[in-house]
Amino acid sequence: MNTQTERWIDVGYLNDIPRRGARCVKVPGYTVALFRTGDDQVFALEDKCPHKNGPLSQGIVHDGCVTCPLHNWVISLATGEAQGADEGKVATIPVKLEGGRISIDIGVAAVRAA
Amino acid sequence: MKKKLVVIGNGMAPGRALETLFKKAPGDFDVTIFNAEPRVNYDRIMLSPVLSGEKTFEDIVIHDDAWYAEHGVTLLKGEKIVHIDREKKTVMSENGVTSPYDHLMIATGSTPIVIPVPGHDKNGVVTYRDLDDVDQMLEAAKKRKNAVVIGGGLLGLEAAAGLQMQGMNVTVLHLMPTLMERQLDPAAGYLLQRAIEDRDIRVITKANTHEILGDDEVTGVALDDGTVIPADIVVMAVGIKPSTAVAEAAGLEIGRGIIVDDAMRTSDPDISAVGECAEHRGMCYGLVAPLYDMAKTLAARLAGDETAAYTGSVTSTKLKVTGIDLFSAGDFAEAPDREEIVLRDAAAGVYKRLVLKDNRIIGVVLYGETKDGAWFFQMMKDGTDVSELRETLIFGQGYAGGAPLDPTAAVAALPDDGEICGCNGICKGDIVSAIAEQGLSTIDDVRAVTKASGSCGSCTGLVEQLLALALGDAYNPAAVQPMCPCTDLGHDDVRRLIVAKELKTIPAVMQELEWKTSCGCAKCRPALNYYLVATWPGEYEDDYQSRFINERVHANIQKDGTYSVIPRMWGGMTTPGELRAIADVAEKFNIPSVKVTGGQRIDLLGVQKEDLPAVWADLNAAGMVSGAAYAKGLRTVKTCVGTDWCRFGTQDSTGLGIKIEKMMWGSWTPHKVKMAVSGCPRNCAEATCKDFGVICVDSGYELHFAGAAGMHIKGTEILCTVATEEEALEYCAATVQLYREQGRYLERIYKWADRVGHDTVRAQIVEDQERRNLLYRRFLYSQKFAQIDPWAERVAGKDWREFTPMSDISRLEAAE
Ligand code: SRM
Ligand SMILES: Cc1cc2nc3c(=O)[nH]c(=O)nc-3n(C[C@H](O)[C@H](O)[C@H](O)COP(=O)(O)OP(=O)(O)OC[C@H]3O[C@@H](n4cnc5c(N)ncnc54)[C@H](O)[C@@H]3O)c2cc1C
Ligand code: SF4
Ligand code: FES
């Protein structure tokens, strides 16, 4: 695999995502879930639970984690790792929040899709 | 030869720089100040006390005319610089006054942001930055009544409090859900809002200003949702931006502010910038503490100290509204690698939260008691390792092994007329005095004497806490199972306290009941949301982020992330038109499976989330409403064909089923509710394994409750027999309402009835006619707000964000 350059893409406003909620961004090959916490931090994960591919974007967001809607695994937004006794990890995507606008590094995303 | 120092702007930053300079290098500089404001340097942060009338302008002057004379400073008041000539090294004012410089100090501060809504330029729209703004507000307060402040941040709230103290009716409009969200977490924001509202200031959050109304003069503000608030003056306090125009025109390097290095020099070494107009290491500051640090560095540099450097500041915030104590500093966002320590004292209105990372404080939010703010702030700036102090850290510097938190505090804080037992209408005062006067010492004594906790029993925990309060260690209440690790309280106590303390939002519950986390978890949030919806119909605003996905989108999530949609078929009846619409939808949206459910309706399985609104639009157009197919609410009312067709039918079972479903649909319940009506005891609709069932008989209707056929198979119990349909409907609604008021979240009707006793339910519904009637009316009242077809609402655009991806860049070519 070649070394990938960063490729930041603006995907919308912070206020497009409800607090303690999520929205999706479709990138080539898969879907990114963008989360906004109660205190306006933004995280990006692949929208695919490490357990059985549940759409994490549809879960309940709490304390820097999201609870998967299918079987209630709790996934850390910052590291993508399953919490507690469950084991697994979902890919995290670099994300930036600047002046209320969100961008993600699709360079990384493109590599993943390849 | 004295060097010529020219200063643009006469605010707090250059004021401090000059003071330091005159101490370090007296007589070295010949100083000229140009100030757009026609006055001496004053303490800008004290404008709020001037506005509120607690201070006068004279009280807040920092340097009076005598000071300038003493230091040989030429202060040109009301002279705004419009041009810098860097080649000739001169500046020129609007009025044409020029001055040469050896060194130029730019300290132009910031300009308030005015949001460009229609009408923003009308007379009566002011910002909040200088004494002229304060004078304008005071003038308005003398003659006029209504003020609107746009912006619920630090400045907006100070302006609001000031105008209120000057006798105006004040409304604060804030875009975000909680006040001062940049400095406070939602819990502290809730307390702040309560304190602001206690001063008769109206606060509207999530308020999007649409237009400022009026001809020349302001008359009101219209919001996006159509609300109009009358206003004679509108204060815009939505933020500031560094004033960089003159510097930019002179070709200096600009980012958000005027870019400076650690020596406070701009891209031209003969020009420095200081204060809010400067941008240092990517940061622009809006508070005085960092500006003073900058000023000190700049003065040292001018005095010849080549090593002086400014390296950035950590800031903290306080709100200067008399009687409100609030402090925040650092980063208080949640993240898994962080720990939080939360202390809530509901009775005292105190909330404290420390955010730790690697045993160091990285964020502090204090509300109600801020005396330890400076102590925490210092440890945060120093990066002190707090592992040793951890256990008692949150209690502050003065802590000397005080008592641990009292779990009965929430009950202790209730007023005497706070209701403890909802079934029998018994207040705290009744119980406390019965305990004292009659020497009661057990829960059974209290039940016998006051009836409290004698019916459904859900207030047992509260009564026990009252006993514990009265008897101290002599009483040892039975352990209750806490709702979740965020609290020590059980479901029943939380429910009763929501009612008794009139708690109407999730942050309110968490604060007043002393939640141990800042925003709850996936267990308690949906439960609290339900309790609030059920307790305060029409008042509580549903928090969708605290609902499970199926209730957010009114469809069921499937294993592959698609959804299933089940339109309601009243009593299992359908028509060719409806069937055609369902068939059309299935084809149009390529829905892979169509199935007849076990609940007498049709399931469309495998719908893409993005298609949901369009699918609903088509089904709605054919007259169908949401099945709320997988909600914790009414599912189906199964019926059989009854007297319409069946040779055994005794009553119109189909008709009654439809009436029940039309009455019940949309209501939120602790768990799902399933019903059925059979036309005779042959029971083709399986009414005897439902949450509520009706068996029609010759003499009327046999009512059943508390059955189930899922994980546990349970035949129903008979509630009673009634003679008319009207009675059947009333009993049905009353039973469900009782369950809505007493059931614990995720407890089916049969479990609730087991817990409180079937006879207790019968006593309340069958024997107590008045109570049944009240329950029935409460149910109907809450349905007024619940029977809104969620599909129609979403087709009309509600929560559209939920259904569309935020952005679709999947077509974008992958980077090579
Ligand atoms: C569609 C349906 C099966 C069917 O194809 O017929 C169905 C499908 C599901 N049922 Fe059911 N139940 C269906 C009738 C029933 C019935 C029979 C009935 O209602 O007459 C029962 C037993 C009766 C009862 O509830 O007492 C039933 C007992 C359950 C239970 C066990 C509940 C319990 O307390 O024991 C669950 C689990 C739960 O709710 O927690 C459940 C949960 C589910 C869920 C929602 C599981 C989930 O959360 O994803 C299923 C969704 C399937 C999907 O992916 O779409 N389903 N389920 C039926 C929908 C009826 C309707 O029109 O609304
Ligand atoms: C109501 C209010 C309450 C506040 N409360 C607090 C608080 O509690 N705590 C806190 O830390 N901070 C507070 N602040 C912020 C604090 O006042 C500012 O950070 C500080 O005053 C900025 O100082 P400065 O010297 O950079 O700019 P300023 O004090 O804004 O001074 C800039 C001056 O330059 C003049 N000027 C601008 N352009 C030109 C030009 N081209 N030519 C000549 N003159 C020009 C302006 O007229 C102004 O007088 C508050 C501010 C306000 C308005
Ligand atoms: S058994 Fe069912 S279908 Fe048959 S008569 Fe009774 S109600 Fe009608
Ligand atoms: S797929 Fe997420 S918990 Fe099972």
Side-chain angles (χ1 to χ4, degrees):
Chain A
M1 177 123 299
N2 57 347
T3 48
Q4 187 66 46
T5 45
E6 289 183 13
R7 187 164 176 203
W8 289 91
I9 300 268
D10 185 301
V11 292
Y13 285 101
L14 175 67
N15 287 345
D16 289 340
I17 314 177
R19 279 202 168 165
R20 289 184 263 107
R23 296 284 301 283
C24 295
V25 174
K26 300 199 167 181
V27 300
Y30 70 109
T31 303
V32 174
L34 274 183
F35 297 89
R36 174 177 178 186
T37 59
D39 40 32
D40 291 348
Q41 280 190 296
V42 177
F43 297 94
L45 301 178
E46 183 175 356
D47 194 15
K48 210 171 175 185
C49 178
H51 179 216
K52 292 190 173 172
N53 301 338
L56 296 172
S57 57
Q58 315 296 300
I60 289 182
V61 177
H62 54 94
D63 294 317
C65 294
V66 58
T67 295
C68 177
L70 292 195
H71 318 98
N72 297 332
W73 279 29
V74 177
I75 310 295
S76 153
L77 296 177
T79 66
E81 274 167 32
Q83 307 288 291
D86 299 317
E87 277 177 33
K89 186 173 185 310
V90 55
T92 56
I93 287 104
V95 58
K96 272 198 298 221
L97 175 62
E98 277 164 348
R101 291 209 68 106
I102 301 169
S103 41
I104 59 173
D105 182 1
I106 165 136
V108 177
V111 172
R112 293 189 31 74
Chain B
M1 247 273 291
K2 277 195 181 186
K3 273 188 275 181
K4 209 155 166 31
L5 175 65
V6 169
V7 184
I8 309 180
N10 193 32
M12 303 181 69
R16 178 56 64 94
L18 291 177
E19 273 176 21
T20 316
L21 180 63
F22 294 150
K23 261 186 222 135
K24 286 199 184 244
D28 277 11
F29 286 91
D30 179 7
V31 181
T32 304
I33 306 176
F34 287 83
N35 193 25
E37 272 189 75
R39 52 185 70 92
V40 292
N41 178 24
Y42 59 94
D43 191 348
R44 191 174 304 284
I45 76 175
M46 297 308 274
L47 283 175
S48 295
V50 174
L51 176 62
S52 66
E54 290 161 290
K55 281 200 156 53
T56 65
F57 178 68
E58 285 65 41
D59 294 333
I60 69 166
V61 166
I62 299 178
H63 298 139
D64 56 11
D65 287 312
W67 185 87
Y68 295 100
E70 183 192 331
H71 293 94
V73 174
T74 312
L75 172 61
L76 299 164
K77 299 177 191 169
E79 291 290 345
K80 179 175 179 185
I81 294 296
V82 289
H83 183 66
I84 303 172
D85 187 331
R86 282 165 58 195
E87 290 207 338
K88 295 208 194 95
K89 297 179 93 173
T90 59
V91 295
M92 186 178 75
S93 79
E94 217 165 24
N95 303 324
V97 181
T98 61
S99 170
Y101 66 82
D102 294 311
H103 192 88
L104 179 64
M105 184 192 301
I106 304 182
T108 45
S110 300
T111 322
I113 293 172
V114 174
I115 34 176
V117 288
H120 69 269
D121 45 6
K122 293 193 195 306
N123 287 332
V125 180
V126 299
T127 54
Y128 189 17
R129 181 72 195 172
D130 59 26
L131 187 68
D132 298 320
D133 297 330
V134 172
D135 285 343
Q136 229 182 317
M137 287 190 248
L138 288 175
E139 198 56 32
K142 266 190 229 149
K143 308 194 283 250
R144 309 212 173 96
K145 280 207 316 282
N146 299 312
V148 166
V149 176
I150 303 181
L154 188 92
L155 287 190
L157 295 178
E158 291 191 6
L163 289 169
Q164 197 277 336
M165 284 176 73
Q166 294 294 345
M168 297 194 85
N169 298 327
V170 185
T171 305
V172 175
L173 304 179
H174 190 54
L175 187 61
M176 302 303 290
T178 55
L179 296 175
M180 286 183 72
E181 76 286 345
R182 290 197 5 245
Q183 294 89 7
L184 298 180
D185 57 14
Y190 153 75
L191 284 172
L192 175 60
Q193 178 165 348
R194 210 179 55 176
I196 297 285
E197 285 169 345
D198 280 349
R199 292 159 192 250
D200 289 331
I201 294 171
R202 189 169 158 214
V203 178
I204 307 181
T205 55
K206 294 190 245 176
N208 246 319
T209 305
H210 187 76
E211 186 180 353
I212 296 176
L213 307 169
D215 291 331
D216 296 336
E217 298 286 329
V218 169
T219 58
V221 176
L223 303 183
D224 275 355
D225 67 5
T227 314
V228 171
I229 303 137
D232 307 305
I233 180 169
V234 174
V235 183
M236 284 235 196
V238 293
I240 51 170
K241 56 172 187 291
S243 307
T244 56
V246 202
E248 194 168 3
L252 296 176
E253 201 184 323
I254 307 290
R256 226 159 31 98
I258 305 166
I259 293 180
V260 296
D261 60 14
D262 288 0
M264 303 311 296
R265 266 186 318 243
T266 67
S267 53
D268 177 338
D270 293 326
I271 304 180
S272 38
V274 67
E276 282 185 354
C277 63
E279 175 180 329
H280 174 263
R281 296 191 185 179
M283 291 286 294
C284 291
Y285 294 94
L287 294 167
V288 286
L291 312 186
Y292 281 176
D293 290 342
M294 293 181 190
K296 235 168 63 194
T297 303
L298 177 55
R301 283 279 175 164
L302 289 175
D305 174 357
E306 289 299 315
T307 62
Y310 173 68
T311 53
S313 308
V314 185
T315 58
S316 66
T317 309
K318 283 188 135 184
L319 179 72
K320 302 185 304 303
V321 173
T322 313
I324 297 183
D325 291 323
L326 159 174
F327 177 93
S328 99
D331 179 358
F332 43 83
E334 306 145 8
D337 59 343
R338 298 173 178 186
E339 294 170 86
E340 59 176 12
I341 307 178
V342 175
L343 173 80
R344 306 195 196 229
D345 180 343
V350 170
Y351 169 77
K352 301 183 184 184
R353 176 161 169 243
L354 295 177
V355 180
L356 308 186
K357 187 176 171 175
D358 303 330
N359 289 319
R360 285 170 174 82
I361 301 177
I362 60 164
V364 187
V365 182
L366 305 177
Y367 189 96
E369 191 190 282
T370 52
K371 66 177 188 329
D372 290 308
W375 186 59
F376 292 134
F377 187 50
Q378 194 59 43
M379 287 197 285
M380 182 176 120
K381 284 199 289 191
D382 297 346
T384 310
D385 185 327
V386 296
S387 354
E388 298 277 289
L389 300 166
R390 244 206 91 116
E391 291 297 299
T392 57
L393 185 63
I394 192 87
F395 299 109
Q397 197 171 13
Y399 177 79
L405 278 182
D406 180 1
T408 51
V411 184
L414 278 181
D416 275 350
D417 60 359
E419 189 178 84
I420 298 289
C421 174
C423 296
N424 299 303
I426 316 289
C427 300
K428 174 180 164 183
D430 304 336
I431 300 170
V432 171
S433 52
I435 294 172
E437 282 157 24
Q438 309 194 31
L440 310 181
S441 63
T442 68
I443 188 92
D444 288 332
D445 290 350
V446 177
R447 271 186 198 143
V449 173
T450 67
K451 280 169 73 183
S453 83
S455 297
C456 80
S458 70
C459 59
T460 306
L462 295 185
V463 176
E464 295 201 306
Q465 275 154 9
L466 286 176
L467 277 163
L469 271 175
L471 308 176
D473 289 343
Y475 187 76
N476 206 352
V480 278
Q481 178 73 25
M483 257 176 86
C484 69
C486 302
T487 177
D488 292 330
L489 296 169
H491 283 267
D492 299 333
D493 290 351
V494 170
R495 290 210 75 167
R496 295 244 68 87
L497 287 163
I498 284 174
V499 177
K501 294 173 80 95
E502 298 192 20
L503 306 177
K504 299 191 179 173
T505 63
I506 291 180
V509 174
M510 291 185 177
Q511 171 60 26
E512 300 299 334
L513 306 188
E514 309 191 339
W515 240 240
K516 291 185 278 187
T517 52
S518 55
C519 90
C521 69
K523 261 197 189 150
C524 59
R525 284 230 312 272
L528 292 180
N529 191 58
Y530 166 70
Y531 294 150
L532 291 165
V533 165
T535 312
W536 309 113
E539 283 184 76
Y540 174 65
E541 193 187 330
D542 211 316
D543 177 23
Y544 278 95
Q545 296 326 126
S546 296
R547 281 193 180 271
F548 185 63
I549 182 69
N550 289 358
E551 295 185 352
R552 244 183 288 151
V553 302
H554 302 279
N556 189 69
I557 193 164
Q558 318 272 283
K559 54 188 274 192
D560 62 354
T562 61
Y563 287 81
S564 60
V565 163
I566 311 186
R568 215 168 253 300
M569 281 183 178
W570 308 104
M573 292 294 285
T574 184
T575 62
E578 285 185 354
L579 292 172
R580 202 170 287 124
I582 290 175
D584 287 345
V585 161
E587 282 182 354
K588 179 167 163 191
F589 295 96
N590 289 321
I591 296 172
S593 299
V594 181
K595 180 180 184 301
V596 173
T597 72
Q600 296 187 341
R601 45 190 188 171
I602 293 179
D603 197 348
L604 297 160
L605 296 134
V607 184
Q608 299 297 327
K609 188 175 189 194
E610 285 101 292
D611 288 338
L612 286 174
V615 165
W616 295 335
D618 285 4
L619 293 171
N620 269 172
M624 282 177 272
V625 302
S626 165
Y630 298 102
K632 309 289 174 244
L634 177 75
R635 298 285 177 87
T636 55
V637 181
K638 280 170 72 163
T639 68
C640 74
V641 289
T643 45
D644 272 357
W645 299 98
C646 176
R647 63 202 164 107
F648 296 115
T650 61
Q651 310 280 356
D652 177 10
S653 52
T654 321
L656 177 58
I658 293 174
K659 280 185 196 147
I660 292 180
E661 188 163 356
K662 294 222 157 156
M663 171 178 74
M664 299 294 316
W665 76 274
S667 129
W668 298 109
T669 42
H671 206 310
K672 57 190 174 188
V673 172
K674 299 175 174 184
M675 300 191 174
V677 185
S678 289
C680 82
R682 290 169 190 76
N683 192 18
C684 298
E686 300 165 324
T688 51
C689 62
K690 295 290 179 261
D691 297 283
F692 193 90
V694 182
I695 307 279
C696 302
V697 290
D698 276 330
S699 59
Y701 305 85
E702 195 176 86
L703 306 182
H704 289 244
F705 73 117
M711 284 173 291
H712 304 277
I713 309 234
K714 258 205 99 245
T716 48
E717 303 271 329
I718 294 181
L719 185 66
C720 63
T721 305
V722 296
T724 64
E725 273 198 352
E726 286 65 44
E727 287 169 293
L729 286 164
E730 176 175 333
Y731 280 66
C732 170
T735 309
V736 171
Q737 181 64 18
L738 193 63
Y739 165 58
R740 296 181 75 228
E741 292 176 10
Q742 298 181 350
R744 297 175 184 163
Y745 192 64
L746 298 186
E747 184 176 59
R748 284 285 288 269
I749 285 197
Y750 74 92
K751 290 200 176 152
W752 157 72
D754 269 350
R755 172 166 64 82
V756 306
H758 297 91
D759 284 338
T760 315
V761 176
R762 282 189 200 99
Q764 298 181 76
I765 303 292
V766 184
E767 285 145 38
D768 187 342
Q769 183 203 328
E770 193 190 326
R771 191 168 163 76
R772 174 179 68 242
N773 200 258
L774 281 173
L775 285 164
Y776 178 51
R777 275 189 288 172
R778 281 209 289 279
F779 181 78
L780 294 184
Y781 177 74
S782 76
Q783 285 298 78
K784 287 210 287 200
F785 310 98
Q787 287 195 331
I788 297 162
D789 178 9
W791 292 0
E793 232 184 348
R794 279 160 189 78
V795 168
K798 186 175 193 288
D799 297 334
W800 59 271
R801 289 193 170 94
E802 178 75 57
F803 303 102
T804 45
M806 179 152 145
S807 180
D808 185 348
I809 44 182
S810 54
R811 299 281 176 78
L812 205 88
E813 257 174 59
E816 304 85 68

